[in-house]
Amino acid sequence: MLDKKITFTLNGKKVEFIGDPLRRLIDTLREDFGLTGVKEGCGEGECGACSVIKDGKLVTSCIIPMGAVYGADIWTIEGIRDTELGSTIVEAFADGGAVQCGFCIPGMVLASYVLLKEKSDPSEEEIRQAISGNICRCTGYDLIVKSIRLADERRRGV
Amino acid sequence: MRELIRVNSLEEALGKKGAYLAGGTEILRLDSPLDKAISVIDILPFLSKEVEDEGDWIRIGAGCTFSSLLSSALIPSFLKEALSYMSSPELREMATIGGNIASFRDDSFLIPTLASAYARLEVLLPGGKECIPLSSFKRDGGIILSITVSKTADVKNFRESLTSHSHAVVTAAFSSECECYAVKGSGIFFDHDSLSFASDMYGSAEYKRYLSELYRSESGRS
């Protein structure tokens, strides 16, 4: 069976894609759905700027063919930022001075979201491990790590 | 337009012409030989994601992702070391062990380690299932169903890359009876005598030869 129509859930809404199943997910998100919070960095899955959440897992959308998205549940920064945990992380990043140029931040927020969804009170090593696939060329990571800890403390009411 | 082919079984997939889609990390990678494939055949739903304990051996389903194997208590430490060579957690969530072998990359994360752990592959071919040593596997040589690996092999891993996220120049692994090298720009070699080296942007042939000999020496081989 040949299949050119790919249906999936995007930020909580059912959507449909008709086209090249080898088109990159990042291109579809940015160009077809206007979700420009998804950034392209290396283009080969190593820098994490294009991170999205697929079926609860953090993945890099620049190497995912649309064919692999069939039936998946995809979340981008645009869908996450207004959730309770997402907005807590975004505010903590702003208050903690985690953002300089901002290019890596959507991926960093999503990596933080996946970590904090799964774990309460993560250690510094666990935080650094969780964002190890997201490369930042500005901050030196320390303020990002502190901001993730701040977000965790705030959501726990510490 | 390129096509995505959905099939009802792996046997049906064998009869189609195109690139197999498993974890999906290789299909769009720069320089990937699969990048220009006209048709992509989705086989992931039919690949086993189970790890089974078989005494001194473990059987790993070809659809297991790197991250699932890293979190499995059944996976021996030498294989977890090789799995962690894929440094990005995002990639580890997607990449499958079967796909990593099938892509047969010259900077393979896993093939040297698996070969040194006496890995055997269960492969689906047009004539039926076959069990073959990893060293006999060739790209496009059927669909890998499972990988059986010794848990008790004394495997030593070596890898040299510029950064943790870079392609490796040389990846090598050694056990008491096996050795295997993945040499960037040259290929995968299952014995020392067949090694060859080529200069490219990752390093000179002499540099790669030096690393291979150094690793061999550090593993205890002369």
Side-chain angles (χ1 to χ4, degrees):
Chain A
M1 178 175 64
L2 300 183
D3 197 343
K4 294 187 178 72
K5 187 167 94 172
I6 294 161
T7 53
F8 61 104
T9 306
L10 178 58
N11 292 333
K13 293 178 184 161
K14 285 273 181 204
V15 295
E16 186 174 280
F17 167 83
I18 299 173
D20 182 355
L22 289 182
R23 181 175 163 87
R24 303 183 309 167
L25 174 58
I26 185 175
D27 296 331
T28 301
L29 294 175
R30 286 181 61 88
E31 294 167 17
D32 297 358
F33 293 99
L35 299 173
T36 53
V38 187
K39 306 298 184 190
E40 177 156 18
C42 67
E44 57 178 15
E46 293 287 354
C47 77
C50 65
S51 294
V52 299
I53 299 172
K54 176 175 177 266
D55 298 327
K57 308 284 189 188
L58 192 69
V59 296
T60 44
S61 62
C62 70
I63 56 167
I64 296 183
M66 286 306 300
V69 175
Y70 193 90
D73 184 23
I74 303 289
W75 288 85
T76 69
I77 187 67
E78 289 86 351
I80 292 296
R81 66 185 173 196
D82 294 327
T83 63
E84 189 176 346
L85 177 56
S87 62
T88 302
I89 296 169
V90 169
E91 285 166 20
F93 269 53
D95 295 344
V99 183
Q100 287 193 32
C101 88
F103 195 80
C104 70
I105 295 301
M108 287 288 185
V109 170
L110 290 177
S112 312
Y113 183 89
V114 170
L115 170 70
L116 297 183
K117 262 280 196 206
E118 291 175 357
K119 202 161 190 69
S120 183
D121 195 16
S123 66
E124 179 175 337
E125 187 183 343
E126 287 170 328
I127 293 173
R128 288 187 183 275
Q129 191 63 242
I131 61 169
S132 63
N134 297 76
I135 295 173
C136 173
R137 299 290 77 175
C138 306
T139 65
Y141 301 99
D142 283 355
L143 292 179
I144 292 174
V145 172
K146 285 178 183 166
S147 297
I148 295 170
R149 177 156 288 163
L150 177 62
D152 177 60
E153 289 169 356
R154 284 180 175 174
R155 65 100 178 246
R156 289 189 291 122
V158 176
Chain B
M1 186 188 295
R2 293 176 291 182
E3 294 171 319
L4 172 67
I5 300 176
R6 297 200 180 280
V7 291
N8 294 311
S9 67
L10 292 176
E11 287 77 8
E12 186 185 342
L14 269 183
K16 307 283 184 188
K17 193 168 181 179
Y20 296 127
L21 174 65
T25 59
E26 281 294 318
I27 216 98
L28 294 177
R29 182 178 62 81
L30 295 172
D31 285 341
S32 169
L34 305 177
D35 191 29
K36 301 291 182 289
I38 300 297
S39 299
V40 175
I41 307 155
D42 187 4
I43 61 170
L44 186 60
F46 306 104
L47 297 178
S48 165
K49 286 103 182 158
E50 302 291 322
V51 181
E52 297 169 60
D53 194 341
E54 298 184 345
D56 286 343
W57 299 79
I58 45 170
R59 181 188 294 270
I60 304 169
C64 290
T65 62
F66 279 47
S67 60
S68 70
L69 294 175
L70 278 166
S71 62
S72 168
L74 293 173
I75 300 300
S77 57
F78 63 79
L79 184 50
K80 286 193 175 182
E81 182 184 13
L83 288 159
S84 65
Y85 288 157
M86 182 177 274
S87 56
S88 163
E90 286 93 327
L91 289 180
R92 293 201 297 258
E93 292 287 7
M94 296 186 280
T96 63
I97 185 170
N100 195 258
I101 297 169
S103 59
F104 219 71
R105 286 174 55 165
D106 57 10
D107 58 352
S108 175
F109 296 108
L110 300 183
I111 289 177
T113 301
L114 292 171
S116 295
Y118 317 111
R120 295 184 67 81
L121 308 180
E122 187 185 22
V123 182
L124 183 64
L125 298 164
K129 292 179 187 175
E130 275 187 32
C131 194
I132 60 169
L134 173 54
S135 55
S136 302
F137 181 76
K138 298 281 181 277
R139 181 183 272 164
D140 302 327
I143 298 174
I144 299 171
L145 302 174
S146 67
I147 302 98
T148 305
V149 183
S150 167
K151 284 196 297 193
T152 56
D154 181 22
V155 179
K156 291 190 176 78
N157 295 313
F158 298 88
R159 186 171 190 262
E160 178 65 28
S161 63
L162 194 58
T163 71
S164 62
H165 284 257
S166 305
H167 299 300
V169 181
V170 175
T171 308
F174 304 84
S175 61
S176 57
E177 291 173 40
C178 291
E179 57 191 303
C180 182
Y181 307 79
V183 181
K184 191 73 185 164
S186 298
I188 295 175
F189 304 93
F190 293 97
D191 63 74
H192 180 257
D193 294 340
S194 62
L195 271 170
S196 69
F197 305 94
S199 298
D200 60 12
M201 63 179 284
Y202 297 94
S204 66
E206 290 72 22
Y207 175 55
K208 295 172 187 175
R209 183 189 307 280
Y210 164 75
L211 288 174
S212 301
E213 296 301 330
L214 177 69
Y215 294 158
R216 193 165 197 261
S217 168
E218 288 187 354
S219 76
R221 289 166 186 257
S222 56

Short mmCIF file of all heavy atoms in Angstrom, two decimals, chain B residues 7-8 22 27 38 55 59 72 123 125 147 155 159 175 181 189 198 202 208:
data_model
loop_
_atom_site.label_atom_id
_atom_site.label_comp_id
_atom_site.label_asym_id
_atom_site.label_seq_id
_atom_site.Cartn_x
_atom_site.Cartn_y
_atom_site.Cartn_z
N VAL B 7 3.58 -1.77 4.66
CA VAL B 7 3.39 -3.18 4.35
C VAL B 7 2.69 -3.85 5.53
O VAL B 7 2.55 -3.27 6.60
CB VAL B 7 4.76 -3.87 4.08
CG1 VAL B 7 5.37 -3.36 2.79
CG2 VAL B 7 5.73 -3.64 5.25
N ASN B 8 2.26 -5.07 5.28
CA ASN B 8 1.57 -5.82 6.34
C ASN B 8 2.48 -6.82 7.04
O ASN B 8 2.09 -7.43 8.03
CB ASN B 8 0.36 -6.54 5.75
CG ASN B 8 -0.68 -5.55 5.27
OD1 ASN B 8 -1.05 -4.62 5.98
ND2 ASN B 8 -1.13 -5.72 4.03
N ALA B 22 13.47 2.40 9.87
CA ALA B 22 13.32 1.85 11.23
C ALA B 22 13.26 3.05 12.18
O ALA B 22 12.23 3.70 12.29
CB ALA B 22 14.48 0.92 11.55
N ILE B 27 17.99 8.03 7.42
CA ILE B 27 17.35 8.21 6.12
C ILE B 27 17.58 9.61 5.55
O ILE B 27 17.63 9.81 4.35
CB ILE B 27 15.85 7.86 6.23
CG1 ILE B 27 15.37 7.19 4.97
CG2 ILE B 27 14.98 9.04 6.56
CD1 ILE B 27 15.31 5.73 5.03
N ILE B 38 14.09 6.44 -3.68
CA ILE B 38 12.80 6.83 -4.24
C ILE B 38 11.66 6.38 -3.33
O ILE B 38 10.69 7.08 -3.10
CB ILE B 38 12.62 6.22 -5.65
CG1 ILE B 38 13.72 6.71 -6.58
CG2 ILE B 38 11.24 6.56 -6.21
CD1 ILE B 38 13.73 8.19 -6.83
N GLY B 55 20.73 -17.06 29.12
CA GLY B 55 21.91 -17.58 29.83
C GLY B 55 23.11 -16.70 29.64
O GLY B 55 23.10 -15.53 30.04
N ARG B 59 19.46 -11.96 23.57
CA ARG B 59 18.91 -11.75 22.23
C ARG B 59 18.23 -10.38 22.23
O ARG B 59 17.35 -10.11 23.05
CB ARG B 59 17.91 -12.84 21.87
CG ARG B 59 17.30 -12.68 20.46
CD ARG B 59 16.18 -13.68 20.26
NE ARG B 59 16.67 -15.03 20.26
CZ ARG B 59 17.07 -15.69 19.17
NH1 ARG B 59 16.99 -15.09 18.00
NH2 ARG B 59 17.50 -16.92 19.24
N SER B 72 18.26 -0.88 30.05
CA SER B 72 17.96 -2.29 30.33
C SER B 72 19.03 -2.91 31.22
O SER B 72 20.23 -2.79 30.95
CB SER B 72 17.88 -3.09 29.01
OG SER B 72 17.86 -4.48 29.28
N VAL B 123 18.52 -12.99 10.33
CA VAL B 123 18.22 -12.14 9.18
C VAL B 123 17.11 -12.78 8.35
O VAL B 123 17.12 -14.00 8.13
CB VAL B 123 19.48 -11.94 8.30
CG1 VAL B 123 19.18 -11.02 7.13
CG2 VAL B 123 20.62 -11.36 9.12
N LEU B 125 15.61 -13.29 4.86
CA LEU B 125 16.00 -13.25 3.44
C LEU B 125 14.85 -13.80 2.60
O LEU B 125 13.92 -14.42 3.16
CB LEU B 125 17.26 -14.09 3.22
CG LEU B 125 18.51 -13.60 3.97
CD1 LEU B 125 19.57 -14.69 4.02
CD2 LEU B 125 19.05 -12.34 3.34
N ILE B 147 19.63 -9.69 17.26
CA ILE B 147 21.07 -9.79 17.43
C ILE B 147 21.31 -10.57 18.72
O ILE B 147 20.77 -10.20 19.77
CB ILE B 147 21.71 -8.37 17.55
CG1 ILE B 147 21.39 -7.54 16.32
CG2 ILE B 147 23.21 -8.48 17.75
CD1 ILE B 147 20.22 -6.58 16.48
N VAL B 155 35.15 -7.67 26.35
CA VAL B 155 35.31 -6.73 25.23
C VAL B 155 35.94 -5.43 25.71
O VAL B 155 35.52 -4.87 26.71
CB VAL B 155 33.94 -6.45 24.56
CG1 VAL B 155 34.12 -5.45 23.42
CG2 VAL B 155 33.33 -7.73 24.05
N ARG B 159 37.58 4.37 20.85
CA ARG B 159 36.98 5.26 19.83
C ARG B 159 37.68 6.61 19.88
O ARG B 159 37.94 7.14 20.96
CB ARG B 159 35.50 5.46 20.12
CG ARG B 159 34.75 6.25 19.05
CD ARG B 159 33.25 6.19 19.33
NE ARG B 159 32.48 6.71 18.23
CZ ARG B 159 31.99 7.93 18.18
NH1 ARG B 159 32.22 8.77 19.17
NH2 ARG B 159 31.28 8.33 17.14
N SER B 175 38.21 -8.63 21.74
CA SER B 175 37.97 -9.63 22.78
C SER B 175 39.03 -10.71 22.59
O SER B 175 39.91 -10.56 21.73
CB SER B 175 36.55 -10.20 22.67
OG SER B 175 36.38 -10.83 21.42
N TYR B 181 37.31 -3.29 13.45
CA TYR B 181 37.65 -1.88 13.32
C TYR B 181 36.64 -1.22 12.37
O TYR B 181 36.32 -1.78 11.31
CB TYR B 181 39.04 -1.70 12.70
CG TYR B 181 40.16 -2.45 13.38
CD1 TYR B 181 40.34 -3.81 13.17
CD2 TYR B 181 41.05 -1.78 14.22
CE1 TYR B 181 41.39 -4.50 13.78
CE2 TYR B 181 42.10 -2.46 14.83
CZ TYR B 181 42.26 -3.82 14.60
OH TYR B 181 43.30 -4.49 15.20
N PHE B 189 36.28 -3.55 9.20
CA PHE B 189 37.22 -4.67 9.01
C PHE B 189 37.10 -5.62 10.19
O PHE B 189 37.17 -5.19 11.35
CB PHE B 189 38.65 -4.14 8.89
CG PHE B 189 38.80 -3.12 7.80
CD1 PHE B 189 38.68 -1.76 8.08
CD2 PHE B 189 39.02 -3.51 6.48
CE1 PHE B 189 38.79 -0.81 7.08
CE2 PHE B 189 39.13 -2.56 5.47
CZ PHE B 189 39.02 -1.20 5.77
N ALA B 198 42.58 5.34 4.32
CA ALA B 198 42.57 6.38 3.29
C ALA B 198 42.55 7.74 3.99
O ALA B 198 41.90 7.91 5.03
CB ALA B 198 41.35 6.23 2.39
N TYR B 202 38.86 13.73 7.91
CA TYR B 202 38.89 13.30 9.31
C TYR B 202 40.31 13.00 9.79
O TYR B 202 40.57 12.93 10.98
CB TYR B 202 37.98 12.09 9.51
CG TYR B 202 36.54 12.41 9.22
CD1 TYR B 202 36.00 12.18 7.96
CD2 TYR B 202 35.74 12.99 10.19
CE1 TYR B 202 34.69 12.50 7.67
CE2 TYR B 202 34.43 13.32 9.92
CZ TYR B 202 33.90 13.08 8.66
OH TYR B 202 32.61 13.42 8.37
N LYS B 208 45.18 7.30 11.03
CA LYS B 208 44.22 6.22 11.29
C LYS B 208 44.95 4.90 11.55
O LYS B 208 44.53 4.11 12.40
CB LYS B 208 43.26 6.09 10.09
CG LYS B 208 42.39 7.32 9.91
CD LYS B 208 41.61 7.25 8.61
CE LYS B 208 40.88 8.55 8.35
NZ LYS B 208 40.20 8.57 7.05
#
